[in-house]
């Protein structure tokens, strides 16, 4: 006669030291449906596993209960054993008598043993109702989508393409490159940012496996791992990029030339309505900003650019286009934005041109930037005699962003080196810091080198920045000297907090991935699954997950590509078996389940007037089963009957 | 009606991703708490329905705990928000059945909060001891006025 086998683990003395395993075995052998019960020193060891396998055969068991550690520890181990023994893995149940019994009641053997009996009985009762479950197989589309064309997205796309995968790289700006393209140099090596980034950008453009969709945004995401359906809006550029050679004649002819704030240069320069973000842009082509173009936004009369374009590439009738993609996996690499420093009123951003952000300074120092690398006071063009950095502007601040921006300190140290190169020796450089965090490889050494460059490090956050007639004055209490200092500067450089880039919240909803309390996208495990999200098949890389420097972003991007590849390289995937199913004979078509399903896995069948579940979309939370008024929904592996039997078994009075 | 020897029985529904892992961490950290609570693992706290709670009381539980991920951290996006709404409803139903709503407790315990798990177990055991055994023989409704 077939029945349930109960295997009780001593875990050395971890369990047996607190729980009377012999008494427990005896108790278990008398339970309803149990035909065999035994105990062993280490059930997870090889002999323990053999004991289970042999017993399944010799005792003709149809289900197995192991009372041992947490299922989080060894459920998969024992499922595999049971499967090896020829049973369906879902005919296995685990009673957690270590983490949730012996370890937490170690001072009371009697009570611990009694609780263990209940826990075993509950698992046996669940086991009595268990049934074979089958995982469904889904086909895997081997193409990938990378959202965001900064350094992280570029790296992920290149890695995947190198593995022979087809990659769609979506970027909302006209060019890829992201924030790194705006940097002059990078720390701690001081190598030129463009020199290391632009070759990668052209690699992307040249790679036959990468389809670049710039000036495009993800509109809608459906489906699940292995088979995502994505709608991407390709915004109208009004220029035929196949024809455009980026000669730039149009930009010179544009009547709005020099009248539109240049985003790439952080508003320190102006562009026209037809523009390319920066000279090394990829794709190398021009775009018309429809919101400022005289013809598109106003009266349609201006023909300046069309007149000069010899290739006839300009098409004012161009329209937005929706591109539909099918991909097996998605990598999100949407980066960061700087916090608007105006949020901290006392730092005076916006009150003087001489109070700038670190990214603005980056553009000013850049030889191809708006000032051709010349550093003067922005208010009147006078020489700069003193520069003061304020770190942690909004970072490590309970009121604003409580986290560290991770690049502010090192970025400022880098700027010291660059300023010393560009300015006279006697220029004062002050850094108001909270702590200098130089944690990366070679960073501490870089910090030490910077200290030799005659910099005043002031430990303290300025209380106020006042714009005087010529100079900018700030008050800061130096906590190492216990003294209030008054510092006059020609340039004040604010180092603002990093925020998830604009639109992250909306994108997280479209992708059904979660964000952590700081607004950045949430990883599945902070240590062991830093690139995974809780949604299968979607990975995160770079600053969208949290502030990061370039090496960390690139590492994570390569990691995410490798993770995506493990999915894309498979022909088929197995989907979760413990999902919900609907009995259409009982379903009344009330649609309540549809309203609670977080994955849109349930649809209403108008014809039969019942709800239907798409198995591959169901993640198995059981929300729907808990509220189905007719009881038509069954959560496999967690059926109502199972939970009820467990409740009953937990509450039985023990005789004697 | 507190009885010195009264040992309450408490059923705890723990979500797989946060609270069950929190309970495991309590074990790994060797936190000690009363043995009055029996855990039932569900994938999400939103899997728990009023029937499960009422059945627990009917079958002899003196208290029921539902524990899930912190709001915003739900593994299933928003299951715990549904649990909040359902718990309010359950408390109303319990009142209608003459069961003190305080016998049902809702807690957010993350996988990193082993200490919190142990504390909640301790508190809840004490609180339910204070309330006394649940007597559902149909003769007496629990009086809420003494709260």
């Amino acid at each position: 006669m077939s029945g349930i086998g109960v295997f009780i683990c001593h875990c050395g003395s971890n369990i047996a030291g607190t729980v009377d395993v012999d008494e427990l075995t005896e108790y278990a052998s008398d339970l309803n449906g149990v035909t065999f019960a035994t105990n062993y020193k280490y059930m997870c060891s090889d002999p323990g596993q053999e004991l289970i396998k042999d017993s399944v055969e010799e005792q003709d068991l149809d289900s197995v209960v192991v009372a041992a550690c947490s299922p989080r520890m060894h459920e998969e181990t024992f499922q595999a054993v049971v499967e090896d023994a020829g049973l369906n893995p879902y005919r296995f149940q685990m009673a957690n008598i270590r983490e949730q019994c012996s370890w937490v009641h170690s001072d009371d053997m009697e009570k611990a043993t009694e609780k263990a009996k209940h826990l075993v009985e509950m698992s046996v009762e669940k086991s009595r109702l268990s049934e074979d479950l089958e995982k469904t197989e889904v086909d895997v589309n081997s193409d990938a989508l990378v959202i965001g064309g900064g350094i992280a997205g570029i790296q992920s796309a290149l890695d995947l393409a190198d593995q022979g995968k087809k990659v769609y790289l979506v970027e909302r700006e006209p060019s890829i490159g992201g924030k790194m393209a705006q940097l002059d140099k990078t720390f701690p090596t001081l190598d030129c940012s463009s020199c290391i980034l632009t070759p990668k950008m052209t690699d992307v453009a040249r790679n036959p496996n990468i389809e670049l969709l710039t000036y495009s945004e993800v509109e809608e995401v459906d489906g699940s791992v292995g088979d995502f359906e994505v709608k991407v809006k390709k915004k109208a550029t009004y220029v035929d990029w196949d024809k455009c050679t980026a000669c730039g004649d149009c930009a010179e002819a544009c009547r709005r030339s020099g009248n539109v704030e240049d985003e790439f240069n952080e508003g320190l320069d102006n562009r026209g309505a037809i523009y390319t973000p920066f000279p090394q842009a990829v794709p190398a082509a021009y775009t018309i900003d429809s919101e400022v173009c005289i013809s598109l936004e106003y009266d349609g009369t201006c023909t300046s650019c069309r007149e000069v374009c010899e290739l006839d590439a300009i098409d004012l009738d161009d329209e937005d286009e929706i591109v539909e993609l099918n991909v097996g996996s998605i990598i999100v690499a949407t980066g960061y934005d700087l916090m608007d420093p105006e949020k901290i009123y006392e730092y005076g951003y916006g009150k003087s041109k001489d109070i700038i952000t670190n990214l603005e300074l980056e553009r000013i120092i850049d030889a191809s930037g708006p000032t051709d690398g010349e550093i003067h006071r922005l208010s009147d063009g006078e020489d700069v005699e003193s520069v003061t950095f304020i770190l942690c502007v909004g970072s490590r601040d309970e009121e604003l962003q409580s986290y560290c921006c991770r690049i502010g300190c090192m970025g400022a140290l880098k700027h010291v080196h660059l300023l010393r190169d560009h300015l006279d020796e006697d220029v004062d450089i002050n850094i108001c810091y909270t702590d200098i965090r130089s944690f990366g490889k070679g960073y501490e050494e870089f910090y030490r080198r910077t200290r030799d460059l005659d910099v005043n490090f002031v430990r303290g956050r300025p209380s106020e920045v006042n714009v005087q007639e010529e100079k900018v004055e700030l008050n800061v209490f130096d906590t190492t000297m216990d003294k209030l200092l008054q510092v006059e500067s020609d340039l004040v450089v604010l180092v603002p907090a990093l925020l998830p880039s604009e639109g992250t919240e909306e994108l997280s909803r479209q992708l059904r991935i979660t964000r952590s309390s700081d607004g950045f996208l949430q990883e599945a495990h902070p240590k062991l699954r830093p690139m995974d999200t809780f949604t299968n098949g979607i990975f995160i890389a770079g600053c969208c997950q949290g502030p990061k420097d370039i090496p960390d972003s690139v590492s994570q991007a390569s990691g995410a590509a490798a993770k995506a590849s493990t999915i894309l390289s498979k022909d088929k995937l197995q989907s979760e078996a413990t999902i919900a199913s609907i009995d259409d004979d009982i379903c009344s078509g009330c649609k309540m389940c549809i309203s609670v399903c977080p994955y849109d896995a349930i649809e209403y069948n108008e014809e039969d007037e019942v709800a239907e579940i798409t198995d591959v979309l169901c993640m198995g939370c059981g929300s729907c089963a808990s509220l189905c008024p007719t009881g038509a929904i069954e959560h496999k592996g967690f059926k109502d009957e199972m939970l009820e039997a467990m409740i009953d078994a937990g509450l039985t009075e023990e005789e004697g | 009606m507190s009885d010195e020897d009264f040992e309450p029985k408490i059923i705890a529904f723990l979500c797989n991703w946060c609270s069950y892992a929190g309970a495991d961490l309590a074990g790994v950290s060797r936190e000690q708490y009363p043995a009055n609570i029996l855990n039932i693992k569900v994938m999400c706290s939103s899997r728990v329905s009023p029937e499960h709670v009422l059945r627990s009381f009917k079958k002899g539980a003196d208290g029921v705990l539902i524990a899930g991920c912190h709001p915003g951290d739900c593994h299933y996006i928003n299951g715990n928000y549904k649990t909040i709404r359902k718990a309010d409803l359950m408390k109303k139903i319990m009142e209608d059945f003459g069961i003190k709503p305080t016998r049902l407790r809702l807690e957010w315990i993350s996988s990193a909060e082993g200490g919190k798990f142990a504390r909640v177990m301790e508190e809840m055991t004490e609180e339910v001891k204070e309330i006394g055994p649940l007597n559902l023989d149909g003769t007496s409704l629990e009086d809420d006025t003494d709260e």
Side-chain angles (χ1 to χ4, degrees), chain A residues 70 100 596 623 626 653, chain B residues 9 24 39 46 55 82 86:
Chain A
S70 169
Q100 298 185 8
V596 297
S623 243
S626 85
E653 293 289 343
Chain B
K9 288 184 186 166
D24 276 355
N39 299 332
S46 69
R55 188 183 186 95
K82 293 166 204 154
K86 250 186 285 187

Side-chain angles (χ1 to χ4, degrees), chain A residues 133-187:
Chain A
L133 298 179
E134 296 305 329
K135 293 184 171 179
T136 42
E137 284 204 326
V138 282
D139 289 333
V140 177
N141 183 317
S142 65
D143 299 349
L145 166 68
V146 177
I147 306 170
I151 182 60
I154 288 173
Q155 186 65 45
S156 289
L158 286 172
D159 280 6
L160 284 169
D162 281 350
Q163 294 178 46
K165 308 281 184 259
K166 164 101 188 170
V167 185
Y168 299 96
L169 177 57
V170 172
E171 164 60 48
R172 69 176 162 199
E173 300 299 329
S175 169
I176 56 171
K179 289 280 187 296
M180 189 176 167
Q182 287 178 280
L183 305 183
D184 176 45
K185 300 243 166 39
T186 58
F187 59 77

Side-chain angles (χ1 to χ4, degrees), chain A residues 70-72 96 99-100 103-106 115 534 596 599 621-623 626 635 638 640 648 650-651 653, chain B residues 9 16 20-21 24 27 30-35 37-39 46-47 49 52 55-56 59 75-76 82 86:
Chain A
S70 169
R72 295 173 66 85
N96 183 343
E99 280 86 343
Q100 298 185 8
W103 276 354
V104 288
H105 313 304
S106 50
K115 179 170 170 179
F534 283 119
V596 297
Y599 302 101
C621 66
S623 243
S626 85
H635 184 194
F638 295 88
D640 277 328
D648 296 358
L651 296 167
E653 293 289 343
Chain B
K9 288 184 186 166
N16 177 60
Y20 194 87
D24 276 355
R30 307 299 196 277
E31 302 267 359
Q32 301 294 305
Y33 55 82
I37 301 195
L38 290 165
N39 299 332
S46 69
R47 171 70 186 93
S49 73
H52 302 137
R55 188 183 186 95
S56 304
K59 293 286 178 170
H75 181 81
Y76 300 105
K82 293 166 204 154
K86 250 186 285 187

Side-chain angles (χ1 to χ4, degrees), chain A residues 483-497:
Chain A
K483 216 162 110 187
L484 183 67
L485 304 177
Q486 222 167 41
V487 183
E488 283 198 333
S489 298
D490 297 296
L491 268 186
V492 170
V493 183
L494 306 178
V495 179

